[in-house]
Amino acid sequence: MRIPFDQLCHILCGILEKRGMDSEEAALSARLFVSSSADGVHTHGLNRFPVYVSLIDRGYIDVKASPVCESRIGVIERWNGRKGPGNTNAWKAMGRAIELSHENGIGVVSLRNTNHWMRAGSYGLEAVDAGCIGILWTNAMPNMPAWGASDARIGNNPMVLAVPYKDTPVLVDVAMSMFSYGKLEKYRLEGRQCPVDGGFDEQGLLTRDPGAIEKTRQVLPMGFWKGSSMAIALDLIVALVSGGKTTKEIGELDCETEVSQIFMAIDLSLFPDKYGMEHRIGETLSFIDSSIPREDGACVHYPGEGMMRKRRESERLGVYVDDSVWEKVQKL
Amino acid sequence: MRIPFDQLCHILCGILEKRGMDSEEAALSARLFVSSSADGVHTHGLNRFPVYVSLIDRGYIDVKASPVCESRIGVIERWNGRKGPGNTNAWKAMGRAIELSHENGIGVVSLRNTNHWMRAGSYGLEAVDAGCIGILWTNAMPNMPAWGASDARIGNNPMVLAVPYKDTPVLVDVAMSMFSYGKLEKYRLEGRQCPVDGGFDEQGLLTRDPGAIEKTRQVLPMGFWKGSSMAIALDLIVALVSGGKTTKEIGELDCETEVSQIFMAIDLSLFPDKYGMEHRIGETLSFIDSSIPREDGACVHYPGEGMMRKRRESERLGVYVDDSVWEKVQKL
């Protein structure tokens, strides 16, 4: 079904306020969920909202907690998320990184002891909306085997790279696994195979069958050894800079919480050649989009274009919400 | 054949001095080449030296040029590599980023108008040797099709993530393509197939045949659409921050030169919890290394371990140099 953006925000906001979340905070959290769905990222939008609310109800997310700055090392700030809501914590941390970038060219905020930030791309969009480049990543609980291993000891540690460009920024939002568990579930529910190998089955063979991978939990790192290596380094960097938990340490808790994140913003408006930048970005993006497509009649797009097409559609028709998800949300 | 480290450095240094390179500069450049080979990265070590010298002889690399700082935006410095040697330029830029990190927690140096830096990992090792986290990447000429395209319009834009740890740091050095052209050539010369699909053949089918991929130049991005997206964003970020050329603009030159790079260092010695860091890193790395291997009798290693094993071997036995490469080097 399709529901207007504002109406959805209002409903989600009410559900969060009922749980004691401050109204401004609840409005922000609701908007982040609805925007994800509006942009086509259902797995980290409305589909995830019931899980988020259950984590509040079970006490893993403290709706009253606000992040605080605990220390500053040069231009790097270290914040404590105090187990607050992962999406509003991340929004505030990126907001602070943007502020710091106005003073220092680059702003760096690390955040420990926070919760899952839902859609990573949200905070990249926050940066580009402020005219900044955004670079950010998070760690996660152990949910992926390292390359050559069969048990999950590293996180899929999603990373975002965002570059402002008119109303359709470049937005890269990639987990270090080939597919997130949310994506695997989506493929399974739709009765589809993964477009490429996504993990290992019970025989230890590579497979595109989402259900088989969900069973073994042996997801494949993107680029095999490459995504595995990157995930290991991203985890260590984010845990060291924030002073927060590593993937291994998160795995010792009874659920995925107390994760560590880093947010970097680079303020392009401070650069002397800022006026030429949009033109230069556009030249690169049209060069890419005018590539010769591998399949006749197909189109090549830069990362971010598809998302913006879906947003326009949601603005016109309302935000798509899966019927079964909607049923769950209405009971909250 | 095996040749002692110092002897190799001495020979390479002489070849560069003969071309008018200042002796200190030549010693640094030679050491970077020999270290790459010693660490097992032959494709960007000795194997590449004849190409480097030919670029000097053809005037693309100016052996007399030193990089200069052109401007500073907050804590970000913008340097001009003045078409100097790519490896010594990159070494100096990372050195400056390390210096800046001592003052600001993080140091950021961007470098435009420079040449191929050879082995990307060298500058990650430079950072960890100074007790810093290193994050760096470069752009390249168009050498990879974007996802869905069949003509090369994006670069493979290698990225490095490095974390200090005792004498065996974590070192991730990944091109955004599944295999570099140097690696494809190596597989072909050894009569081997790529371990996984590396690109497309003339029929447009995915293949592991290195020669077929070299022919079409349709290398596969790591993680398919993921590596493609990352390469696009990394190129734009590095070109905007440095004010240097984009991949598209480099493609308009008659050879791969005037590339753009960025170097970030984070000085861990400034952090109040610095004394606990080594222990925490070690806990994560042993957790990963004690994973259950996918194949009986195999071992799981963190990124950087294999390299350090090869370095120890080179220290004991001398640096391995391919006979045909050695023949070429002796004629320079």
Side-chain angles (χ1 to χ4, degrees), chain B residues 36-234:
Chain B
S36 301
S37 279
D39 290 355
V41 190
H42 302 287
T43 51
H44 292 84
L46 266 279
N47 296 15
R48 191 100 178 196
F49 188 71
V51 178
Y52 177 79
V53 172
S54 101
L55 287 170
I56 293 172
D57 292 344
R58 288 153 62 204
Y60 289 108
I61 296 174
D62 178 359
V63 294
K64 298 283 189 201
S66 273
V68 285
C69 180
E70 289 184 323
S71 61
R72 185 165 169 153
I73 295 117
V75 302
I76 303 172
E77 287 191 354
R78 274 180 149 184
W79 286 67
N80 180 348
R82 297 161 83 197
K83 304 196 205 330
N87 55 355
T88 55
N89 270 356
W91 184 265
K92 289 170 194 168
M94 181 45 99
R96 179 63 186 146
I98 292 166
E99 261 178 40
L100 288 167
S101 79
H102 300 330
E103 297 161 28
N104 306 311
I106 187 168
V108 184
V109 170
S110 63
L111 180 63
R112 70 177 184 92
N113 198 23
T114 187
N115 278 297
H116 194 305
W117 61 15
M118 305 294 122
R119 177 193 184 194
S122 304
Y123 321 104
L125 293 174
E126 182 183 0
V128 298
D129 283 345
C132 294
I133 286 170
I135 301 173
L136 51 137
W137 66 89
T138 184
N139 64 5
M141 66 177 192
N143 57 18
M144 178 165 81
W147 180 244
S150 58
D151 54 338
R153 297 198 176 202
I154 65 177
N156 65 353
N157 306 346
M159 183 182 205
V160 170
L161 303 169
V163 180
Y165 181 62
K166 293 185 178 169
D167 65 353
T168 308
V170 176
L171 182 67
V172 179
D173 177 352
V174 283
M176 295 299 127
S177 57
M178 204 53 238
F179 301 101
S180 67
Y181 281 99
K183 205 57 166 285
L184 291 175
E185 186 192 18
K186 189 166 170 285
Y187 286 135
R188 176 171 47 77
L189 293 176
E190 294 169 0
R192 289 164 59 198
Q193 296 283 293
C194 302
V196 295
D197 287 336
F200 296 90
D201 64 16
E202 282 179 317
Q203 279 72 50
L205 298 172
L206 279 172
T207 181
R208 295 186 181 198
D209 176 358
I213 304 164
E214 287 176 307
K215 212 176 281 175
T216 61
R217 294 189 70 81
Q218 295 181 24
V219 296
L220 192 64
M222 73 160 182
F224 310 94
W225 52 90
K226 296 197 168 197
S228 171
S229 297
M230 286 186 71
I232 292 168
L234 291 175

Side-chain angles (χ1 to χ4, degrees), chain A residues 281-299:
Chain A
I281 299 170
E283 293 249 293
T284 282
L285 298 179
S286 357
F287 181 59
I288 292 165
D289 280 4
S290 55
S291 295
I292 301 169
R294 185 163 295 288
E295 288 173 26
D296 282 343
C299 287

Side-chain angles (χ1 to χ4, degrees), chain A residues 148 177 226 244 249 280 294, chain B residues 148 150 177 226 244 249 280 294:
Chain A
S177 58
K226 296 197 167 196
E249 291 161 352
R280 295 185 67 215
R294 185 163 295 288
Chain B
S150 58
S177 57
K226 296 197 168 197
E249 291 161 353
R280 296 185 68 215
R294 185 163 295 288

Side-chain angles (χ1 to χ4, degrees), chain A residues 127-203:
Chain A
V128 298
D129 284 345
C132 293
I133 286 169
I135 301 172
L136 50 137
W137 66 89
T138 184
N139 64 5
M141 65 178 192
N143 58 17
M144 178 166 82
W147 181 245
S150 59
D151 55 338
R153 298 198 176 202
I154 65 177
N156 64 355
N157 307 347
M159 183 181 205
V160 170
L161 303 170
V163 180
Y165 181 63
K166 294 186 178 170
D167 64 354
T168 308
V170 176
L171 181 67
V172 179
D173 176 352
V174 283
M176 295 299 127
S177 58
M178 203 54 236
F179 301 101
S180 68
Y181 281 99
K183 206 55 165 287
L184 292 175
E185 187 193 18
K186 190 167 171 283
Y187 286 136
R188 176 171 48 77
L189 293 176
E190 294 169 359
R192 288 163 61 197
Q193 296 283 295
C194 302
V196 296
D197 287 336
F200 296 89
D201 64 16
E202 283 180 316
Q203 280 72 50

